[in-house]
């Protein structure tokens, strides 16, 4: 099928929940994807911060294929070696001691909220304005943006929102009923918003002084995206609970909740479950993907190539008045424009580069961590050309 035929069938049979790009993809390798007509694109979207080890990484492809021939699914009524090995590896690379497995970011946040309520015996969750935590009823409630909630009430009781970056506002919002504070270390969908210096550390202090749990939603920032395995390590602040998904299994769907020993032990048999959670296929993909990040030195590469990428974006910021800001950590970069950036996304696609626009006017660059410096140069050259054309 060609692009046009695929789009026609989508219109006819698929619920129209997405404002998709008019592009049908067929294949990928590293940081490049090809459409069904065979045109290549440098991919700075990476499945929205999912394909951190690159497309079709042979380690991940082989782990999935080998496991698929052995055992695809078991349910959590039984043990598998893949699941316990993955839990052990996640504990080794994170500030946590216990893992629970599920299938998506929203589901990981649901699990974290249940765990915090069970552990504390309290109901209230403080979340941030401009945040994003998923699309289930409870996670749109936690999300601090009206556009994701309208038409879908009644929402889940027990949530409050305060401005991101304001520790005082959190301190004032905490009551005797507060179970946890839920925060993205860097707001992703909200426009790549970096917290003020010392904010997360202060937040942890306020939480602990008040017996409130600190939950980091690292669904987008995890697995090398910000230059360390987790943003908690980039910012040197260990939360009580971390939620993960997106890049965890190299593109295979999976989510996880990580917690300290004490908090994790609050869940008892029967408290929480997921039929597919931590299935052997997803665990094999995650083991291969995380091991690849370690073996190929992708954390250091995320820092060094990310810095080179950011420097080039900053040069464009100096050159073009309509670029208002360039910010980010590692390979999680944003270029804020003084105008809506949907048009630029189309222009960049015509140049053979995939980027997306978040928060209306922020071009988000979250490429595979394996992107080469030559590919980064190609991306910024294309961006230069698109900006020059708009400026003329
Ligand atoms: C993408 C995202 C989610 C939701 O993940 P899904 O797998 O789509 O449910 C939650 N939190 C953050 C920070 C995200 O970026």
């Amino acid at each position: 099928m060609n692009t046009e035929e695929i789009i026609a069938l989508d219109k006819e049979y698929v619920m129209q929940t997405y404002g998709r790009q008019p592009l049908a993809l067929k294949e990928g390798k590293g940081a490049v994807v090809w459409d069904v007509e065979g045109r290549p694109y440098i991919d700075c979207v990476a499945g929205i911060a999912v394909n951190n080890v690159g497309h079709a990484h042979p380690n991940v492809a082989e782990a999935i294929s080998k496991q698929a021939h052995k055992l695809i699914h078991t349910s959590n009524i039984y043990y598998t070696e893949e699941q316990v090995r993955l839990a052990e590896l996640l504990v080794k690379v994170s500030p946590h001691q216990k893992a629970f497995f599920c299938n998506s970011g929203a589901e990981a946040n649901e699990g974290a909220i249940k765990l915090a309520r069970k552990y504390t015996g309290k109901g209230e969750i403080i979340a941030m304005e401009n945040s994003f935590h998923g699309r289930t009823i409870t996670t749109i409630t936690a999300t601090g943006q009206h556009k994701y909630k309208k038409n879908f009430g009644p929402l889940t009781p027990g949530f409050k929102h305060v401005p991101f970056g304001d520790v005082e506002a959190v301190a004032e919002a905490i009551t005797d009923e507060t179970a946890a504070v839920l925060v993205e270390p860097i707001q992703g969908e909200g426009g790549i918003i970096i917290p003020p210096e010392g904010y997360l550390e202060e937040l942890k202090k306020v939480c602990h002084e008040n017996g409130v749990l600190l939950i980091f939603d690292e669904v987008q920032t995890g697995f090398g995206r910000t230059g360390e395995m987790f943003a908690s390590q980039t910012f040197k602040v260990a939360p009580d609970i971390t939620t993960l998904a997106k890049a965890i299994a190299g593109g295979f769907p999976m989510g996880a909740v990580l917690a300290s020993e004490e908090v994790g032990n609050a869940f008892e048999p029967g408290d929480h479950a997921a039929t597919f959670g931590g299935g052997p296929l997803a665990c094999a993909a995650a083991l291969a993907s995380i091991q690849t990040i370690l073996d190929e030195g992708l954390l250091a590469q995320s820092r060094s190539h990310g810095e080179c990428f950011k420097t080039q974006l900053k040069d464009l910021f100096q050159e073009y008045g309509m670029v208002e800001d360039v910010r980010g950590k590692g390979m999680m970069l944003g270029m804020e424009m003084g105008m809506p950036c949907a048009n630029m996304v189309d222009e960049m696609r015509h140049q053979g580069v995939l980027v997306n626009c978040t928060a209306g006017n922020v071009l988000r660059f979250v490429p595979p961590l394996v992107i080469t410096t030559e590919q980064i140069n190609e991306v910024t050259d294309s961006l230069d050309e698109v900006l020059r054309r708009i400026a003329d």
Side-chain angles (χ1 to χ4, degrees):
M1 278 197 270
N2 64 27
T3 302
E4 211 176 305
E5 292 164 337
I6 292 170
I7 291 174
L9 278 193
D10 177 271
K11 283 234 153 52
E12 191 165 353
Y13 294 115
V14 179
M15 289 191 200
Q16 298 293 297
T17 59
Y18 300 102
R20 295 190 211 262
Q21 297 274 295
L23 178 64
L25 297 174
K26 185 178 179 178
E27 249 182 88
K29 188 81 203 152
V32 178
V33 287
W34 284 266
D35 69 11
V36 291
E37 277 82 26
R39 280 182 294 253
Y41 299 85
I42 299 177
D43 185 7
C44 289
V45 177
I48 317 188
V50 167
N51 303 103
N52 288 15
V53 296
H55 292 278
H57 196 291
N59 297 357
V60 178
E62 183 161 306
I64 291 173
S65 149
K66 262 187 162 162
Q67 185 61 43
H69 283 96
K70 279 201 297 197
L71 189 64
I72 292 176
H73 175 76
T74 57
S75 90
N76 281 297
I77 296 173
Y78 310 103
Y79 298 95
T80 66
E81 181 179 334
E82 289 73 25
Q83 189 178 117
V84 294
R85 283 182 52 218
L86 177 59
E88 181 185 45
L89 179 58
L90 285 169
V91 165
K92 208 171 100 192
V93 299
S94 77
H96 298 292
Q97 287 80 45
K98 294 277 179 182
F100 171 83
F101 296 107
C102 53
N103 309 286
S104 70
E107 204 186 345
N109 285 327
E110 292 268 356
I113 291 162
K114 281 179 71 176
L115 180 61
R117 285 182 170 176
K118 176 85 197 291
Y119 176 78
T120 59
K122 297 172 179 181
E124 198 173 87
I125 309 288
I126 298 170
M128 303 301 151
E129 290 169 9
N130 196 47
S131 60
F132 181 81
H133 298 293
R135 301 293 200 134
T136 62
I137 294 292
T138 294
T139 56
I140 60 172
T141 307
T143 292
Q145 300 185 59
H146 175 70
K147 66 179 177 192
Y148 296 109
K149 314 185 194 212
K150 66 173 196 300
N151 302 322
F152 299 120
L155 300 175
T156 308
F159 286 80
K160 272 193 210 171
H161 291 87
V162 297
F164 182 62
D166 184 346
V167 184
E168 277 310 306
V170 173
E172 278 168 33
I174 289 174
T175 70
D176 289 345
E177 270 311 299
T178 307
V181 170
L182 171 62
V183 63
E184 296 159 87
I186 295 175
Q187 291 189 329
E189 302 303 303
I192 316 288
I193 312 293
I194 316 286
E197 190 73 32
Y199 169 68
L200 295 170
E201 214 175 325
E202 288 289 311
L203 202 55
K204 179 171 172 166
K205 220 170 106 203
V206 166
C207 285
H208 280 226
E209 281 166 6
N210 290 280
V212 168
L213 296 178
L214 179 60
I215 306 171
F216 279 2
D217 178 342
E218 291 228 37
V219 170
Q220 191 160 151
T221 53
F223 300 99
R225 183 54 55 196
T226 70
E228 298 288 347
M229 190 61 85
F230 300 109
S232 55
Q233 295 152 339
T234 300
F235 290 105
K236 299 188 171 60
V237 176
D240 301 291
I241 301 174
T242 296
T243 58
L244 301 170
K246 290 202 163 93
I248 187 170
F252 200 90
M254 180 177 231
V257 182
L258 302 184
S260 66
E261 177 92 32
E262 188 180 312
V263 173
N265 284 339
F267 269 162
E268 295 166 292
D271 277 344
H272 197 43
T275 297
F276 291 121
L281 200 53
C283 288
L287 280 164
S289 179
I290 298 166
Q291 201 56 54
T292 297
I293 290 174
L294 298 171
D295 294 347
E296 293 188 358
L298 295 183
L299 301 178
Q301 183 160 329
S302 172
R303 294 193 295 273
S304 62
H305 287 194
E307 205 48 48
C308 144
F309 202 159
K310 190 158 85 172
T311 304
Q312 294 187 27
L313 294 176
K314 287 211 156 147
D315 288 345
L316 295 172
F317 163 71
Q318 294 298 336
E319 201 171 330
Y320 296 98
M322 66 222 162
V323 181
E324 303 226 306
D325 191 25
V326 167
R327 55 183 178 251
K329 291 243 185 238
M331 283 286 186
M332 186 169 184
L333 302 171
M335 180 181 247
E336 185 174 331
M337 304 299 300
M339 62 203 187
C341 57
N343 249 350
M344 286 184 71
V345 170
D346 292 333
E347 292 290 324
M348 289 295 282
R349 192 179 64 252
H350 296 137
Q351 298 274 327
V353 178
L354 302 186
V355 289
N356 91 327
C357 172
T358 189
N361 66 335
V362 179
L363 281 179
R364 169 169 48 183
F365 301 89
V366 286
L369 308 182
V370 297
I371 192 170
T372 64
T373 47
E374 291 76 18
Q375 289 167 329
I376 291 171
N377 294 343
E378 277 186 57
V379 170
T380 52
D381 284 350
S382 298
L383 197 52
D384 192 3
E385 197 166 321
V386 167
L387 286 166
R388 186 174 323 133
R389 238 185 290 144
I390 296 170
D392 283 346

